[in-house]
Amino acid sequence: MVYCAWNDFPYPTEVQVHGAISDDDGLSWQPVGQVYVPVCMEGALTAGPDELFYAVASTDAGFTIGRSEVPFPETSYDMLPEPVMVPAGAPWEVDEMNTPQLFFDGHQAQLYYSGADYGDGWWVMRAKTGLVLAGTQPKAVQFWSLSAV
């Protein structure tokens, strides 16, 4: 479990990521504490089919992905230097794309996120790729097929 914590709602000046691990499918949890993962308000951690943990994060340039052997490493996730997805523009991502969530269907990565055109509304989007995981460093994905959910 990972979540954001901040002070002074609704105008926070400090944001932290906290997390805890369960070894029994959520019946009990290790103590919650601050963790160092590249996600917070807009990002998520996902266990991959290759027994690695993947972090997808929202940046000014788009979505980036990293991975780690443990969910909360002491240093950081091994992040890709380039975004795996950048805003496509009209009609779905005119003003914003955010809140990425990464899921795996076998070895295919599926990325759900929000796209926005402030004049017309918000959409939940899905991007799929054949991202190869086993034994390789994840690569910046050149092709994502998009669809509104």
Side-chain angles (χ1 to χ4, degrees):
M1 148 179 70
V2 63
Y3 61 92
C4 285
W6 60 88
N7 67 349
D8 200 23
F9 181 80
Y11 305 106
T13 58
E14 184 178 340
V15 178
Q16 298 176 344
V17 181
H18 289 222
I21 296 173
S22 172
D23 294 322
D24 56 10
D25 294 326
L27 294 175
S28 63
W29 295 88
Q30 295 176 2
V32 173
Q34 185 173 357
V35 296
Y36 301 97
V37 295
V39 301
C40 193
M41 305 279 220
E42 298 186 3
L45 299 179
T46 304
D50 54 359
E51 298 183 10
L52 295 176
F53 293 88
Y54 288 80
V56 58
S58 191
T59 69
D60 290 339
F63 298 144
T64 186
I65 292 177
R67 70 181 188 177
S68 173
E69 293 180 358
V70 296
F72 307 135
E74 290 185 22
T75 56
S76 180
Y77 272 64
D78 184 16
M79 301 300 288
L80 292 172
E82 299 293 325
V84 295
M85 187 172 197
V86 296
W92 307 112
E93 299 151 6
V94 174
D95 295 307
E96 194 171 342
M97 64 183 234
N98 59 33
T99 60
Q101 303 287 312
L102 187 65
F103 296 92
F104 292 99
D105 181 9
H107 285 305
Q108 183 180 55
Q110 297 194 39
L111 180 67
Y112 288 82
Y113 65 98
S114 298
D117 176 340
Y118 295 156
D120 288 328
W122 292 77
W123 299 270
V124 175
M125 301 293 293
R126 180 179 67 182
K128 296 192 291 185
T129 185
L131 180 65
V132 177
L133 304 177
T136 65
Q137 173 65 21
K139 299 176 184 161
V141 176
Q142 301 299 319
F143 175 77
W144 290 84
S145 60
L146 299 177
S147 60
V149 176

